[in-house]
Amino acid sequence: MRSVRARAALGATLVVAVALVAAGLAVLLVLRANLIDQADLQAEVVAREVAGELATGAPYREVEPDDEEDHPVQVVDEEDRVVLVSKELRAVTGTGASGVTPVPAASPSPGDDDGDDGGEEARPGRGQVSDDDPDFSDGTATVDRTTADYRFAAVEATTPEGVTLTVYAGAPLAAEQEAVDTVRGAMLTGLPVLLAVVAGVTWLVTRRALRPVEGIRREMAAITASEDLARRVPEPGSRDEIAALARTTNETLRVLEASVERQRRFVADASHELRSPIASLRTQLEVAEAHPELLDLPGAVADTVRLQALAADLLLLARLDAGEKPGGGTVELGALVREEVSQRTGDRTAVAVEVPEGGAFEVNGSRGQLSRVVGNLLDNAQRHAETDVAVSVAADGRGVRVEVRDDGAGVPEEERERIFERFVRLDDARSRDEGGAGLGLAIARDVAVRHGGTLTVHRAEGGGAAFRLRLPRAARRT
């Protein structure tokens, strides 16, 4: 069953069916218990009435329960011999004895003595009826050729002669059975109808609720077929989960479209940047082949170095885009900055280092990548500086700040974010750049972000640009 609508309808129907069956059984049990309690009460009343007459010493033949057709009575003595039954009782089960024929000789009835005074002197006193709760049992009785189920109550009574008798009085269960059967029949008839209604309503509601999902699916299939990432799935006006799914899908499409567009620009710009050094190098080699004396060896070397640096930048960006995570080592930024600056002897602009002695500026990450960030920032500062470049390392709250400053023209405020985009160079940078491809700052920011830090540009105090790299301080080991 692959349809969500079918599964939802089936699930709802099963849940409702289980709930209704459980509720129906509970109702039937409660109804039957209440009706049986009523039958118990009726049987107990009749049994105590008969027991009361016997306790007063009334002769057996004179004891006649009210409505004996509906409440059959059987009385047995201590030896389970029948001494009294209802007149119309023909058979009985579920009582102390199955007999329906009294045995008066086994226990003479009071009042049957032959004395002239009618037996008054034979009564030694008054009997009693037991106050204990009666025992109840289920059985059957045949009253005037009609057999039915009964609920019997057993009450003990003691006659004035000290004879202990047990009175069994029955109450019919026909009303209970009829009521239970009626309720059961109504439930069995109504349950399928109700389940059919539940299944139909669930199907329709689910179909209506999932209609936007089908629209999203069709549009996604069309986008996949056309490869047009500018298209968007329809967003329903509701505020439910499906609307959230549509908004998330469109957001994913927007991010994917931007990523693909950025990748296209990256490939186009990379092709353009690679074409120039390759063409220049080829031209120089072709000239050298025809006229060896005209070979510009330094120029060929410079173009080769530029090509090698560009290829390295492109490979690093590819690794970063692929989600390469920085290493888990610890790097001391102060020592890293000193080492990077020490390798720049003979550069056009000297670099002043401001690192406090004895400072601990450890961060977690890749030493090679962080060295690349510092190197790119220094390269950028030296290309744009007039006379001075300075780099400082200092604590910054819970992190470490590395700041690279130059005394150049600075970066216009409106361009301070755009310069971190790939292959972006401002107009003055294009005129003064000696081989930069516009990837250094982009690489620096990507590495900073992947290390949990930030890279921003501001105006230096004395003019020029100030690039600030902030990284979280490494956790101290205990």
Side-chain angles (χ1 to χ4, degrees):
M1 188 175 296
R2 299 181 179 180
S3 172
V4 175
R5 294 190 296 270
R7 291 199 298 269
L10 178 60
T13 303
L14 290 177
V15 171
V16 173
V18 171
L20 289 178
V21 170
L25 291 176
V27 169
L28 290 177
L29 292 175
V30 171
L31 176 62
R32 187 174 185 277
N34 289 336
L35 294 175
I36 288 178
D37 288 343
Q38 294 180 8
D40 289 346
L41 180 60
Q42 296 175 10
E44 181 181 359
V45 169
V46 175
R48 289 192 178 279
E49 177 186 352
V50 174
E53 294 185 25
L54 293 174
T56 60
Y60 296 157
R61 63 176 177 270
E62 295 180 5
V63 177
E64 295 184 1
D66 296 338
D67 196 9
E68 60 180 303
E69 292 185 0
D70 290 337
H71 300 89
V73 174
Q74 181 193 59
V75 181
V76 298
D77 60 11
E78 298 173 345
E79 299 180 1
D80 290 336
R81 292 177 299 188
V82 179
V83 298
L84 174 65
V85 296
S86 301
K87 293 181 180 180
E88 301 297 330
L89 184 63
R90 298 291 180 262
V92 65
T93 61
T95 60
S98 59
V100 292
T101 302
V103 187
S107 180
S109 174
D112 290 345
D113 294 342
D114 294 333
D116 295 337
D117 55 359
E120 271 209 38
E121 294 180 357
R123 298 181 182 176
R126 181 178 180 84
Q128 64 179 1
V129 179
S130 174
D131 294 332
D132 296 337
D133 292 335
D135 295 328
F136 296 98
S137 60
D138 294 325
T140 61
T142 301
V143 180
D144 193 18
R145 299 181 181 180
T146 301
T147 302
D149 294 328
Y150 284 84
R151 183 75 169 172
F152 289 97
V155 176
E156 291 187 352
T158 303
T159 64
E161 290 76 17
V163 179
T164 300
L165 303 175
T166 302
V167 180
Y168 292 93
L173 295 177
E176 177 266 338
Q177 294 173 345
E178 182 179 358
V180 171
D181 291 340
T182 301
V183 174
R184 184 189 299 113
M187 289 182 177
L188 293 177
T189 302
L191 181 62
V193 177
L194 183 57
L195 293 180
V197 172
V198 170
V201 171
T202 305
W203 175 276
L204 294 177
V205 171
T206 307
R207 180 182 179 183
R208 181 179 179 85
L210 294 178
R211 188 176 300 167
V213 176
E214 179 61 22
I216 295 174
R217 187 201 64 78
R218 286 197 301 266
E219 186 62 25
M220 288 298 295
I223 292 173
T224 303
S226 64
E227 298 183 359
D228 182 8
L229 296 177
R231 299 176 63 170
R232 297 291 182 268
V233 300
E235 296 185 11
S238 59
R239 297 182 180 180
D240 54 11
E241 293 83 353
I242 297 178
L245 172 63
R247 289 191 293 269
T248 303
T249 302
N250 284 334
E251 184 64 26
T252 302
L253 288 173
R254 279 190 289 270
V255 173
L256 183 60
E257 181 186 14
S259 177
V260 171
E261 183 61 27
R262 186 168 58 252
Q263 188 70 18
R264 288 174 180 172
R265 289 198 308 268
F266 177 79
V267 172
D269 291 339
S271 300
H272 174 75
E273 294 293 337
L274 288 170
R275 187 181 298 114
S276 297
I278 291 176
S280 175
L281 184 60
R282 177 180 178 180
T283 300
Q284 295 182 48
L285 293 176
E286 289 177 347
V287 170
E289 182 182 12
H291 305 281
E293 70 279 3
L294 299 179
L295 175 62
D296 182 10
L297 188 58
V301 173
D303 286 340
T304 303
V305 171
R306 179 183 177 189
L307 185 60
Q308 183 181 12
L310 181 57
D313 287 344
L314 293 176
L315 289 175
L316 178 57
L317 283 175
R319 292 200 305 268
L320 293 176
D321 288 341
E324 179 180 297
K325 296 182 179 180
T330 302
V331 181
E332 214 288 321
L333 285 183
L336 178 67
V337 168
R338 291 193 187 96
E339 180 182 347
E340 186 66 27
V341 172
S342 66
Q343 298 174 359
R344 294 177 176 268
T345 57
D347 287 351
R348 181 180 68 86
T349 306
V351 179
V353 180
E354 302 172 5
V355 179
E357 293 295 336
F361 306 110
E362 292 184 344
V363 297
N364 292 326
S366 168
R367 181 178 183 83
Q369 291 185 8
L370 293 177
S371 177
R372 188 66 173 274
V373 172
V374 176
N376 287 355
L377 294 178
L378 291 174
D379 289 340
N380 180 77
Q382 288 180 322
R383 280 197 300 269
H384 296 85
E386 295 292 341
T387 58
D388 297 323
V389 173
V391 55
S392 62
V393 181
D396 186 7
R398 296 183 179 180
V400 179
R401 182 183 73 247
V402 178
E403 184 171 282
V404 179
R405 301 181 300 275
D406 64 68
D407 60 350
V411 182
E413 186 173 355
E414 64 275 8
E415 302 286 350
R416 290 179 182 174
E417 282 300 314
R418 198 169 73 87
I419 62 173
F420 292 105
E421 297 178 5
R422 299 176 183 183
F423 298 105
V424 171
R425 290 176 294 181
L426 302 184
D427 292 339
D428 61 340
R430 292 183 182 275
S431 63
R432 299 183 55 182
D433 197 348
E434 298 178 355
L439 293 176
L441 294 180
I443 291 174
R445 170 166 279 190
D446 282 353
V447 172
V449 171
R450 281 166 173 76
H451 281 73
T454 60
L455 177 61
T456 56
V457 60
H458 306 272
R459 180 174 177 80
E461 294 181 359
F467 286 84
R468 293 173 186 168
L469 170 66
R470 288 185 174 91
L471 297 174
R473 191 187 298 271
R476 295 183 177 180
R477 299 180 181 179
T478 57

